[in-house]
Amino acid sequence: MPLMRLGYQRSLDVHDLYSVQEQDSSKELGDNIQKKWDEELERSKKKGKKASYVRALVRCFGWEYARVGLYAAFEECVLRIGQPLCLGGLIRYFNREEGYTTLDGWLFSAGVVMASVLYIFAHHPFFWGIQHSGMQIRVASCAMIYRKALRLSKAALGKTTIGQMVNLLSNDVNRFDTSVIFMHYLWIGPLQTLIVLGILWTELGPSCLAGIMLLILFVPLQSWMGKVFSKLRLATAHRTDERVRIMSEVVNAMRVIKLYTWEKPFTALIEKARKSEIDVIMKTNYYRAVNMSLFFTSSKVIVFLALLTYVLTGNVLTAEKVFVTSSLINNVRLVMTLFFPFGIAMGSETLISCRRLQNFLEMEEREDESSIQKSNLRPKQKDCGLTVTDLTAKWSEATEEDTLSEVSCSVKTGELLAVIGPVGSGKGSLLQAILGELPAKSGSISIRGKVAYASQEPWVFCGTLRQNILFGQPYDVKRYNEVIKVCALEQDLEQLPQGDQTMVGERGVSLSGGQKARVNLARAVYYDADIYLLDDPLSAVDSHVGRHLFDNCIMRHLKHKARVLVTHQLQYLQPASQILILREGHTEAIGGYHQLVNSGIDFASLLSDGDDEKVGSLSREPSMRSTKKNGVIPNGRHVQDGVGSSRSLQRKGRLNSESSVSSFHDSVEVENILTISGANIAGSSLSLSDSIKESPNKNSKKHLRSDKRLDNRTEEEKSQLLLNDTDDGEPEDSTRSETRAEGSVRGAVYLEYFLAGGGWILLIILFIANVLTQVIFSGTDYWLSYWANGEQQRARLLLNSQDNFSVISGNGSSFSYSDAPIPDGYLDTYTNVYIYTGLTVGLFVLSLGRTVLFFVMCMTSSRKLHNRMFECIIRVPIKFFDTHPIGQIFNRFSKDIGQIDDFLPGTLWDVVEILLNFIGIIVVIASVNIWIILPTLVLGIIFIFLRRFYLSTARNVKRLEGITRSPVFSHLSASLQGLTTIRAFEAQQKFMDDFDNHQDLHSSAWFLFLCTTRWFGICLDWISGIYIAIVTFSFMGMSNALGGDIGLAISSAMLLSGMFQWGVRQSAEVENQMTSVERVMEYSHLEPEAPLETDKDKLPHAGWPEHGIITFEDVSLQYNENDPPVLKNLNFCIKASEKIGIVGRTGAGKSSMLTSLFRLTEPTGVIRIDSINIRELGLHDVRGNISIIPQDPTLFSGTMRKNLDPFTLYTDEELWKALEEVQLKDAVSDLEGGLEAQMSEGGSNLSVGQRQLVCLARAILRHNKILVLDEATANVDPRTDGLIQQTIRSKFKDCTVLTIAHRLHTIMDSDRVMVLQAGRVEEFDEPHVLLKTENSLFASLVQQTGKAAAEQLRQIAEKAYFEQHKNDASTEVMLEDKQDVGCDNATSSGDNLRTETL
């Protein structure tokens, strides 16, 4: 109650949640099940049998689960049967049968009321206990999965994906929540059926078999339907997975899609995937409509058959037999046609999930290799070091070649070992072997001291920047500040809005590539280690920052440590103590710099040439060495040597959202069938929504710790929480937290949802069909009462007219009505039978028609809402994706669309049906006793007040539960992406503790949700019990009432109260689920960017741009209105075919300038290309005429052909020619299928360099006059860099080329260099000219690379300068005049160029 009052007064937040009880904590449960599983493994090993995860669960949770089942047995086999029998006795009393006194009437009335009261004490403890058991099993299993994931070997990781593990965590374990409810009904159902059969045999004799046989036939029918639904769910799940996978790639690569103008092909791809998904869902809904119609009408049909057989065999129909039979059949039908089949189906599906979990738990673990010798105690600093001796290793036994072959090296305290070599030579694999990730075949590794590791591709998790650096280590201010300084992060912290407390967002979204690399390095440096393994940390930063990091961090700060540095940059080799040169996994050479130079080794040629090695040879990648099947490149999860160790785990694909969508298919049928049951029996499925509705996770606990609230954590505690998800309510700087709507869903949302399903006409038809169906449904009950009353009156007339007629016995002895008169106002038996038959048949037909129509409208609406949302998302400005975490966007396309597809139609249908039933029953009761309307109105008013009071809290708690669920999946996904780093730092226990904290936080929210719903259910059940008592006892004062009327009114009252509770609950649930519609609609009204196509009157002439002249006039750019501009009044002109290098420190505005050129964010000022203002053109006309090779090369899963040519614009010959020009032809042709070979998700089976070459091939195919390289060679070795530069010089000789580069040598031979600082163009001239000015910014950048490197760069610039100016003066003047005219007349000639197209 205190929480309910608090929730009624204000919105609840995470800090209002209670802490979990110790026995429900993730750590406690995880430890318990781990112990039982270990015992099971040991026991099975001794007996020589296969271990069983199910046996481990039974030993851990079995006794408590069995005890709770006794409540359900008492409810179903005592209360559910006793109440109809008491009702039958009450009807016999009102029929004035012999031997029944007033006391009997009061006792039978009390029996009816007490059954409803005792129901509260059986039903709620059962669900409380069963949900508690389900929660414990699920939480324990989740803890087991996470612990196992941290121990998996790289070989095991190669057999699974992050998505599959998230799927286990979200989908498979959720079956425990649903299956535990139904398992007890596997024995309760048959027991209840036998008891009911015995009672009905005494009431109806053999005639009862007609109804019972049909009831029994429903069991195999439901089982068959269950199998059909399982197959359809599986098909739907596959199609949903495919759609979400494509959405994952689209959202992750949205910037690339916009740059390449690929919106239309990807829209078509998504629409095709959605159509495929909807087709299966629609088929499922047809079956569902039939099933729900059968379920809705089955009770009427079964009672119809039993009573019809009874009457046609010459028996008397009495009110007692009608309503006792109807109530008993209703009860046993619910259990045997719903719970029993689901017990079988869910039980078998749970066994399958347990098998999947067991297979996962039995996967190979990363063990401490015998080849790795580690010292137990930390040695003295002078004794620390690393020795590798004759190391031979490979990632998989399936591959023929060894990844590393007889490699030996060593490094001692104070030494630096540099490891170099071309792409795929085994550099990253060597570090992985040292870390124990790559199992050794032979040789040994000796590690003396603690190890720290910095991965090549930076791993940044969601949390503050300080948390990313501390990584769970104690906060030492002095050491921390020193690390910030040597890692060149001081200026970055000053620029960030909240310094090192800035939330870096999902995957470090708010940081640049260079900043992430430096944070990644700072984490390793802050860790107090003796040996540092640095996997190419200098590639992603500017040259001067790289020099700062090398000199101040690696050489000075870590000078007393043993260091292993993998690098592609030759300028850092000279200070190294030793240089290890690898080629194809072999040691090419090892020694000091001067020693290797004197021996004749040319480092540059080693990395950039090589006759026997093709760049892009896919066979170099470990994953590519495995056997190729059906033209598919295997999803290599092994470490890609050229990419670095962490790449093996970064699957840029499905996030936790994919898992969340899969879980919807598990309980959808439970959900939708159960909703009908609530309308047919008093309170029978009242609380099933608690357990089934919310498949996500978490369950009940016995008592709240009312005094223990989750307080705000102190700063010290926060530093220990390694991973903080953005959805926990903490504000972010650069990303927006998940929207949490407040208050009720607006009526306009409901109207828009229904109108999207078919417009006003279909809505009116559906309304009329629903009203007619309800009239017939209520009519059958009324007609049975009317018929029974008529037969009773007829029997009385016959008794009065024949003195010698025997009294009708209690068990219904037969007699003839042939001579009996028909009472006034009643019909004969056969007319009644015909009318009753007609009503039953009409009910079935109309019920089926309206249900099918409703589900068709819902699916039409769902399809339209999804398409509208995607059309908006694909057209929204790129800033939207920078400020909204990927998980939020996925949530709309996975969880919310899943809710709208699967849950909302059933719940909404339930509310509509219950509302109509309520109105129908009120009318029926009013026809018997008009005064019963008064307590009904009072009950309605109380219910409405309670609903409002309940919803104010429940809505907040439900939304909090959803928000706290995300971090559980995000934590697993993030942990797996950084698994190598976590294990290198031995931080597994800290991450396990964090996972347990995330689970406990969600458990507390889920527990409060169950508390609120349970409290609400108990309140309503008590009020309903009082209402039934009023209605039942009110008839004791009516002496002239007929038994049929009494039976109709009381049974309806019992039905009404249970249904009313269910209706209030379901209306609340509809409102919860309609928030998904609201959220989807929110993303359907986003402001789009500029039009894709140009207006016809502004189209440039064909072949534009001809020259590639780019002019910036007073161009400024700011990403947010309140932020300072990142570009400030840029004015410059780039001439036709000029090669421009763009340099500047991180944050200088280099990428922002390209953002303006591509209009990803609209700048102020004017940008002209060949004299035409690009703002007047459509985005596709602008972006489609500029080629780009982005910093992060993006490939999509699918064929190589689709990655090169998604529009199918080019011939095979052109595609092969482009691949040949980037030296990928041989590698691709070696694959089975060639251009049809499948690329894995994110192109992760190619190295970074190979993916860059594919991007280069795309640019070659497009033949545009303007080419942009956005730090395209930052992550590739010098040889690949050289190949890219050489290809650009030859293939794009006549094009304008803009190159943003960290490596200065890539732009030293440019025509001109632009130096940006703080958003302004500070210098713009030829490199040689700028270098002549000693105090120029460009000269200082060059100087920072080191003396030897600077001299080399100066020579390149000088050579390029004289090469460019060697032509005779007249030619040079003519060329310059031509180019200058292009710039000077850029504005005036625009109209002429455009006029040519008109």
Side-chain angles (χ1 to χ4, degrees):
M1 278 300 293
L3 184 85
M4 299 295 290
R5 282 197 297 270
L6 184 66
Y8 187 68
Q9 293 164 2
R10 65 169 175 83
S11 293
L12 300 174
D13 58 32
V14 174
H15 306 300
D16 294 312
L17 298 176
Y18 297 88
S19 60
V20 295
Q21 298 179 91
E22 188 176 346
Q23 67 266 28
D24 294 330
S25 68
S26 177
K27 185 179 188 307
E28 180 81 11
L29 292 169
D31 291 344
N32 288 344
I33 191 63
Q34 185 71 57
K35 181 182 176 184
K36 296 295 182 185
W37 174 241
D38 291 340
E39 290 173 1
E40 174 64 20
L41 287 174
E42 190 65 31
R43 190 179 294 110
S44 61
K45 190 176 180 181
K46 288 179 180 177
K47 294 182 179 180
K49 294 181 179 179
K50 187 172 176 62
S52 169
Y53 186 60
V54 175
R55 279 200 296 266
L57 288 176
V58 170
R59 288 193 177 96
C60 200
F61 304 105
W63 283 111
E64 177 64 20
Y65 181 71
R67 182 187 64 80
V68 173
L70 297 176
Y71 288 109
F74 177 71
E75 178 189 341
E76 297 296 341
C77 297
V78 178
L79 298 180
R80 293 292 184 198
I81 293 171
Q83 193 173 36
L85 293 179
C86 290
L87 177 60
L90 189 61
I91 292 172
R92 285 196 297 274
Y93 164 74
F94 277 102
N95 283 341
R96 299 174 194 75
E97 294 191 13
E98 189 176 341
Y100 285 88
T101 64
T102 303
L103 177 62
D104 293 325
W106 283 102
L107 288 175
F108 285 129
S109 298
V112 171
V113 175
M114 282 305 296
S116 294
V117 173
L118 288 175
Y119 160 82
I120 301 171
F121 293 96
H123 181 78
H124 294 290
F126 168 66
F127 271 92
W128 187 263
I130 211 74
Q131 290 174 329
H132 189 252
S133 294
M135 179 207 73
Q136 287 186 323
I137 295 171
R138 177 177 35 73
V139 171
S141 298
C142 288
M144 279 275 283
I145 291 168
Y146 185 78
R147 284 157 171 72
K148 179 69 178 184
L150 292 184
R151 298 195 303 267
L152 284 179
S153 67
K154 284 295 179 69
L157 286 167
K159 298 172 186 173
T160 184
T161 63
I162 292 177
Q164 288 171 355
M165 281 182 268
V166 172
N167 204 30
L168 282 176
L169 204 65
S170 62
N171 183 8
D172 291 283
V173 297
N174 279 340
R175 296 182 192 277
F176 295 124
D177 282 321
T178 52
S179 62
V180 292
I181 299 166
F182 299 110
M183 298 300 287
H184 280 301
Y185 289 99
L186 293 177
W187 64 274
I188 292 173
L191 179 62
Q192 186 191 46
T193 303
L194 288 174
I195 297 171
V196 168
L197 181 59
I199 294 171
L200 289 180
W201 187 277
T202 62
E203 290 286 336
L204 302 180
S207 301
C208 71
L209 294 175
I212 292 292
M213 288 304 292
L214 182 61
L215 175 68
I216 292 171
L217 285 175
F218 263 92
V219 176
L221 175 65
Q222 285 294 322
S223 297
W224 177 79
M225 290 289 270
K227 290 180 180 177
V228 171
F229 284 130
S230 292
K231 290 180 181 177
L232 290 171
R233 279 201 305 273
L234 188 62
T236 305
H238 287 321
R239 286 163 172 77
T240 302
D241 284 349
E242 178 64 14
R243 174 179 63 81
V244 173
R245 182 191 63 76
I246 298 170
M247 270 306 306
S248 167
E249 292 194 332
V250 168
V251 175
N252 275 300
M254 187 60 74
R255 187 178 298 273
V256 170
I257 289 171
K258 288 183 179 293
L259 291 173
Y260 283 129
T261 66
W262 284 354
E263 290 98 333
K264 290 180 180 177
F266 275 99
T267 300
L269 200 61
I270 287 288
E271 287 177 353
K272 181 181 176 183
R274 179 63 174 163
K275 184 181 183 302
S276 173
E277 180 188 17
I278 283 288
D279 287 346
V280 180
I281 296 175
M282 191 66 85
K283 189 176 180 181
T284 305
N285 281 330
Y286 288 137
Y287 279 104
R288 188 183 296 168
V290 172
N291 201 39
M292 292 174 78
S293 297
L294 285 172
F295 198 87
F296 179 68
T297 57
S298 61
S299 61
K300 304 294 184 190
V301 175
I302 292 169
V303 172
F304 165 74
L305 282 178
L307 296 181
L308 183 65
T309 306
Y310 183 71
V311 169
L312 293 180
T313 52
N315 294 294
V316 181
L317 188 70
T318 65
E320 177 218 347
K321 298 187 187 306
V322 167
F323 292 106
V324 170
T325 300
S326 177
S327 296
L328 287 173
I329 284 179
N330 244 332
N331 287 335
V332 76
R333 174 202 61 118
L334 180 71
V335 172
M336 287 307 293
T337 66
L338 182 69
F339 299 163
F340 185 81
F342 264 95
I344 297 172
M346 295 301 293
S348 62
E349 288 187 14
T350 303
L351 285 176
I352 293 171
S353 292
C354 285
R355 212 166 292 134
R356 281 163 52 83
L357 285 168
Q358 183 173 319
N359 291 337
F360 177 75
L361 293 174
E362 290 174 344
M363 291 180 81
E364 178 188 345
E365 295 186 6
R366 169 184 176 264
E367 299 178 0
D368 289 331
E369 295 288 331
S370 58
S371 58
I372 300 181
Q373 302 161 10
K374 290 186 177 179
S375 51
N376 294 326
L377 298 175
R378 189 172 180 179
K380 294 180 180 178
Q381 188 170 347
K382 64 184 180 60
D383 299 325
C384 294
L386 167 70
T387 304
V388 178
T389 308
D390 295 331
L391 178 66
T392 299
K394 62 179 175 180
W395 286 108
S396 171
E397 293 300 324
T399 59
E400 296 178 6
E401 301 175 30
D402 290 327
T403 306
L404 296 173
S405 181
E406 298 183 355
V407 174
S408 297
C409 61
S410 66
V411 59
K412 299 176 184 176
T413 297
E415 292 184 350
L416 170 64
L417 171 66
V419 183
I420 63 172
V423 170
S425 60
K427 304 182 296 297
S429 295
L430 175 61
L431 297 190
Q432 295 295 301
I434 295 170
L435 292 170
E437 302 289 346
L438 172 59
K441 282 174 59 181
S442 63
S444 65
I445 302 171
S446 173
I447 299 174
R448 301 175 302 281
K450 286 176 67 175
V451 176
Y453 170 68
S455 54
Q456 180 186 17
E457 290 203 358
W459 176 61
V460 181
F461 54 78
C462 188
T464 66
L465 194 136
R466 180 186 291 182
Q467 287 169 345
N468 270 276
I469 295 173
L470 295 182
F471 205 57
Q473 296 293 306
Y475 178 50
D476 183 327
V477 179
K478 183 179 178 182
R479 178 153 58 106
Y480 179 79
N481 290 335
E482 178 66 17
V483 169
I484 292 295
K485 182 178 179 181
V486 299
C487 291
L489 283 168
E490 287 179 309
Q491 186 173 339
D492 300 282
L493 293 185
E494 291 173 5
Q495 293 174 349
L496 291 172
Q498 294 178 8
D500 64 357
Q501 292 300 316
T502 301
M503 294 292 290
V504 297
E506 195 171 356
R507 295 175 303 151
V509 67
S510 61
L511 302 179
S512 70
Q515 288 170 330
K516 281 189 280 189
R518 280 177 277 140
V519 169
N520 195 54
L521 178 62
R523 179 192 302 134
V525 175
Y526 185 82
Y527 189 68
D528 182 24
D530 305 305
I531 304 165
Y532 287 82
L533 306 180
L534 309 175
D535 194 354
D536 204 9
L538 308 176
S539 290
V541 297
D542 301 330
S543 57
H544 59 287
V545 176
R547 173 54 64 180
H548 173 91
L549 293 177
F550 185 77
D551 291 342
N552 293 284
C553 180
I554 298 174
M555 296 306 297
R556 185 178 62 81
H557 187 75
L558 301 177
K559 66 181 177 180
H560 298 302
K561 308 290 184 179
R563 294 147 290 163
V564 179
L565 173 67
V566 172
T567 185
H568 291 126
Q569 304 187 39
L570 305 180
Q571 66 266 31
Y572 303 128
L573 297 182
Q574 191 167 352
S577 309
Q578 276 195 318
I579 300 170
L580 171 64
I581 303 171
L582 293 177
R583 182 186 291 275
E584 298 184 6
H586 298 273
T587 301
E588 183 88 353
I590 184 168
Y593 179 81
H594 296 293
Q595 180 185 350
L596 293 177
V597 170
N598 293 336
S599 65
I601 290 180
D602 182 353
F603 293 109
S605 64
L606 177 73
L607 293 181
S608 60
D609 297 316
D611 303 326
D612 60 341
E613 181 181 11
K614 299 281 187 184
V615 170
S617 172
L618 302 183
S619 63
R620 296 287 174 259
E621 298 300 325
S623 61
M624 301 306 301
R625 297 188 190 127
S626 55
T627 308
K628 297 178 288 251
K629 296 180 180 179
N630 303 323
V632 177
I633 300 177
N635 264 347
R637 296 278 303 184
H638 310 302
V639 174
Q640 309 295 314
D641 294 342
V643 184
S645 55
S646 66
R647 185 66 209 166
S648 62
L649 290 173
Q650 291 196 354
R651 312 285 299 179
K652 292 183 181 177
R654 309 175 196 163
L655 208 56
N656 43 5
S657 55
E658 89 178 321
S659 52
S660 52
V661 77
S662 303
S663 64
F664 296 139
H665 304 295
D666 301 335
S667 55
V668 57
E669 288 312 319
V670 182
E671 168 67 23
N672 287 287
I673 295 175
L674 281 177
T675 52
I676 294 302
S677 65
N680 289 290
I681 185 152
S684 59
S685 58
L686 173 63
S687 297
L688 287 174
S689 67
D690 299 351
S691 56
I692 294 164
K693 207 59 124 172
E694 295 302 320
S695 62
N697 297 346
K698 306 309 176 216
N699 223 297
S700 59
K701 289 169 275 297
K702 305 274 179 174
H703 302 285
L704 279 172
R705 293 184 177 182
S706 57
D707 296 329
K708 286 184 69 177
R709 302 213 175 219
L710 296 176
D711 300 324
N712 293 325
R713 297 183 179 89
T714 63
E715 177 58 36
E716 187 176 4
E717 290 172 319
K718 283 185 177 180
S719 72
Q720 299 301 317
L721 274 176
L722 301 180
L723 289 173
N724 285 343
D725 194 276
T726 56
D727 289 346
D728 65 357
E730 294 285 340
E732 274 192 68
D733 309 300
S734 59
T735 57
R736 299 183 186 179
S737 58
E738 183 73 81
T739 304
R740 196 184 88 176
E742 296 188 4
S744 302
V745 178
R746 293 175 296 110
V749 175
Y750 288 88
L751 184 61
E752 189 174 345
Y753 174 75
F754 281 113
L755 291 181
W760 284 105
I761 295 176
L762 278 183
L763 201 56
I764 293 169
I765 293 172
L766 180 66
F767 175 77
I768 294 171
N770 274 308
V771 171
L772 285 175
T773 306
Q774 187 55 49
V775 168
I776 297 175
F777 186 84
S778 299
T780 55
D781 287 334
Y782 181 81
W783 195 261
L784 273 177
S785 174
Y786 167 82
W787 184 3
N789 286 338
E791 297 292 345
Q792 182 182 338
Q793 296 281 44
R794 190 176 179 188
R796 285 180 181 174
L797 288 174
L798 189 60
L799 282 171
N800 293 334
S801 61
Q802 295 183 2
D803 296 333
N804 60 345
F805 193 82
S806 60
V807 177
I808 301 172
S809 63
N811 62 357
S813 303
S814 63
F815 59 91
S816 173
Y817 275 110
S818 56
D819 298 325
I822 298 172
D824 292 338
Y826 294 96
L827 302 174
D828 65 90
T829 301
Y830 287 102
T831 305
N832 280 322
V833 168
Y834 293 142
I835 293 174
Y836 185 37
T837 304
L839 287 171
T840 306
V841 173
L843 175 65
F844 177 77
V845 173
L846 265 175
S847 173
L848 181 62
R850 67 164 185 167
T851 312
V852 170
L853 177 60
F854 179 83
F855 278 103
V856 168
M857 287 181 67
C858 285
M859 291 321 298
T860 304
S861 178
S862 179
R863 187 179 67 247
K864 287 184 178 177
L865 288 174
H866 174 276
N867 290 345
R868 286 178 194 167
M869 178 167 64
F870 183 74
E871 287 165 7
C872 278
I873 285 292
I874 201 80
R875 291 283 293 112
V876 79
I878 199 67
K879 174 190 169 187
F880 178 85
F881 299 93
D882 294 334
T883 56
H884 292 73
I886 301 299
Q888 281 187 25
I889 301 171
F890 278 162
N891 238 359
R892 302 298 204 279
F893 283 96
S894 55
K895 180 179 179 291
D896 290 319
I897 288 294
Q899 287 270 15
I900 296 169
D901 283 348
D902 298 333
F903 289 138
L904 181 60
T907 315
L908 196 55
W909 177 246
D910 207 18
V911 172
V912 171
E913 191 174 77
I914 289 170
L915 179 63
L916 290 168
N917 263 321
F918 170 67
I919 296 170
I921 289 170
I922 292 297
V923 172
V924 169
I925 291 178
S927 68
V928 177
N929 182 359
I930 192 69
W931 297 109
I932 292 181
I933 289 180
L934 291 177
T936 304
L937 290 175
V938 173
L939 178 67
I941 293 169
I942 295 173
F943 273 11
I944 289 170
F945 170 77
L946 271 175
R947 178 181 183 273
R948 185 177 302 164
F949 184 71
Y950 158 73
L951 272 184
S952 59
T953 299
R955 190 185 295 120
N956 279 311
V957 173
K958 176 78 183 301
R959 284 166 178 162
L960 279 175
E961 184 273 325
I963 288 171
T964 56
R965 186 194 318 123
S966 301
V968 177
F969 306 122
S970 299
H971 187 85
L972 174 65
S973 181
S975 300
L976 289 168
Q977 287 171 355
L979 187 55
T980 305
T981 301
I982 292 168
R983 295 203 286 221
F985 285 86
E986 298 180 345
Q988 293 97 316
Q989 186 58 51
K990 292 172 185 150
F991 273 74
M992 280 190 264
D993 293 342
D994 271 0
F995 182 80
D996 291 336
N997 290 336
H998 287 310
Q999 280 226 98
D1000 290 343
L1001 184 64
H1002 178 246
S1003 291
S1004 60
W1006 178 246
F1007 170 66
L1008 284 187
F1009 175 73
L1010 292 177
C1011 282
T1012 54
T1013 53
R1014 188 63 54 210
W1015 174 87
F1016 186 56
I1018 291 172
C1019 287
L1020 293 187
D1021 279 341
W1022 273 110
I1023 294 169
S1024 300
I1026 294 169
Y1027 174 70
I1028 291 171
I1030 292 170
V1031 173
T1032 304
F1033 292 139
S1034 69
F1035 281 106
M1036 294 302 295
M1038 298 175 62
S1039 57
N1040 59 346
L1042 294 172
D1045 293 341
I1046 298 297
L1048 177 65
I1050 293 178
S1051 63
S1052 296
M1054 294 189 308
L1055 180 64
L1056 179 63
S1057 62
M1059 184 197 347
F1060 203 9
Q1061 299 168 56
W1062 181 248
V1064 173
R1065 271 252 189 84
Q1066 290 298 82
S1067 67
E1069 195 57 40
V1070 162
E1071 193 160 330
N1072 285 335
Q1073 292 172 0
M1074 282 301 291
T1075 58
S1076 290
V1077 177
E1078 192 175 36
R1079 282 154 57 89
V1080 167
M1081 287 179 179
E1082 178 194 348
Y1083 273 25
S1084 301
H1085 300 99
L1086 301 172
E1087 190 69 31
E1089 55 186 355
L1092 298 179
E1093 308 299 335
T1094 308
D1095 295 339
K1096 289 184 178 179
D1097 59 333
K1098 294 183 178 179
L1099 276 172
H1101 66 279
W1104 176 89
E1106 292 176 320
H1107 309 293
I1109 303 170
I1110 303 171
T1111 309
F1112 274 55
E1113 300 173 8
D1114 295 322
V1115 174
S1116 297
L1117 177 71
Q1118 59 183 144
Y1119 291 108
N1120 298 299
E1121 290 182 8
N1122 300 325
D1123 292 348
V1126 289
L1127 295 181
K1128 302 163 186 173
N1129 299 321
L1130 299 190
N1131 287 277
F1132 60 83
C1133 176
I1134 297 172
K1135 304 169 188 175
S1137 305
E1138 252 194 320
K1139 308 298 181 283
I1140 304 296
I1142 304 171
V1143 296
R1145 184 183 164 80
T1146 300
K1150 305 185 296 293
S1151 294
S1152 296
M1153 195 175 81
L1154 300 189
T1155 296
S1156 301
L1157 182 61
F1158 281 93
R1159 292 176 62 193
L1160 292 174
T1161 302
E1162 294 287 359
T1164 59
V1166 178
I1167 301 175
R1168 301 182 190 276
I1169 297 178
D1170 280 7
S1171 306
I1172 291 182
N1173 186 349
I1174 62 172
R1175 177 166 281 205
E1176 298 176 1
L1177 305 179
L1179 294 178
H1180 275 188
D1181 288 316
V1182 176
R1183 297 169 185 168
N1185 285 292
I1186 306 174
S1187 295
I1188 184 168
I1189 304 178
Q1191 180 178 4
D1192 296 318
T1194 303
L1195 265 65
F1196 302 93
S1197 53
T1199 64
M1200 175 65 83
R1201 180 192 302 278
K1202 283 293 180 186
N1203 271 284
L1204 289 170
D1205 180 26
F1207 288 96
T1208 320
L1209 298 175
Y1210 306 104
T1211 64
D1212 281 13
E1213 185 182 349
E1214 290 173 307
L1215 297 180
W1216 281 117
K1217 186 178 180 184
L1219 288 172
E1220 183 178 16
E1221 287 169 346
V1222 297
Q1223 296 187 23
L1224 278 177
K1225 180 178 180 181
D1226 291 343
V1228 174
S1229 59
D1230 284 345
L1231 298 173
E1232 192 174 331
L1235 289 171
E1236 301 305 322
Q1238 292 285 333
M1239 298 293 103
S1240 66
E1241 197 172 350
S1244 60
N1245 53 348
L1246 302 183
S1247 73
V1248 176
Q1250 289 159 348
R1251 297 203 294 273
Q1252 286 287 22
L1253 294 177
V1254 173
C1255 292
L1256 180 58
R1258 288 174 184 161
I1260 291 173
L1261 284 168
R1262 297 182 77 163
H1263 299 300
N1264 286 330
K1265 291 296 292 182
I1266 300 174
L1267 172 66
V1268 173
L1269 284 83
D1270 185 6
E1271 299 176 354
T1273 59
N1275 292 320
V1276 299
D1277 60 78
R1279 181 176 184 276
T1280 309
D1281 187 0
L1283 172 64
I1284 292 174
Q1285 298 301 330
Q1286 181 183 346
T1287 307
I1288 289 169
R1289 290 187 192 99
S1290 59
K1291 297 301 297 182
F1292 299 93
K1293 183 173 57 177
D1294 298 324
C1295 302
T1296 303
V1297 180
L1298 309 182
T1299 304
I1300 294 178
H1302 283 143
R1303 297 177 178 173
L1304 292 180
H1305 73 270
T1306 61
I1307 52 95
M1308 291 309 290
D1309 59 349
S1310 301
D1311 294 332
R1312 285 193 289 171
V1313 169
M1314 180 184 296
V1315 182
L1316 290 173
Q1317 186 170 2
R1320 301 181 189 277
V1321 177
E1322 297 294 342
E1323 298 170 358
F1324 191 20
D1325 209 332
E1326 294 180 71
H1328 183 61
V1329 173
L1330 292 175
L1331 289 174
K1332 283 184 176 179
T1333 308
E1334 289 299 329
N1335 60 350
S1336 69
L1337 288 174
F1338 186 63
S1340 66
L1341 288 176
V1342 169
Q1343 203 60 39
Q1344 288 173 5
T1345 62
K1347 189 174 181 181
E1351 185 58 35
Q1352 186 182 12
L1353 292 174
R1354 290 178 183 276
Q1355 291 174 5
I1356 295 172
E1358 187 177 5
K1359 181 181 176 183
Y1361 178 81
F1362 287 113
E1363 186 73 23
Q1364 189 174 351
H1365 293 276
K1366 70 180 179 181
N1367 296 326
D1368 60 88
S1370 59
T1371 307
E1372 185 71 18
V1373 170
M1374 289 172 61
L1375 180 62
E1376 287 184 1
D1377 287 346
K1378 178 181 177 182
Q1379 290 181 345
D1380 288 340
V1381 168
C1383 281
D1384 294 339
N1385 294 347
T1387 306
S1388 60
S1389 60
D1391 295 335
N1392 299 329
L1393 284 169
R1394 189 170 285 121
T1395 305
E1396 296 174 16
T1397 66
L1398 301 178

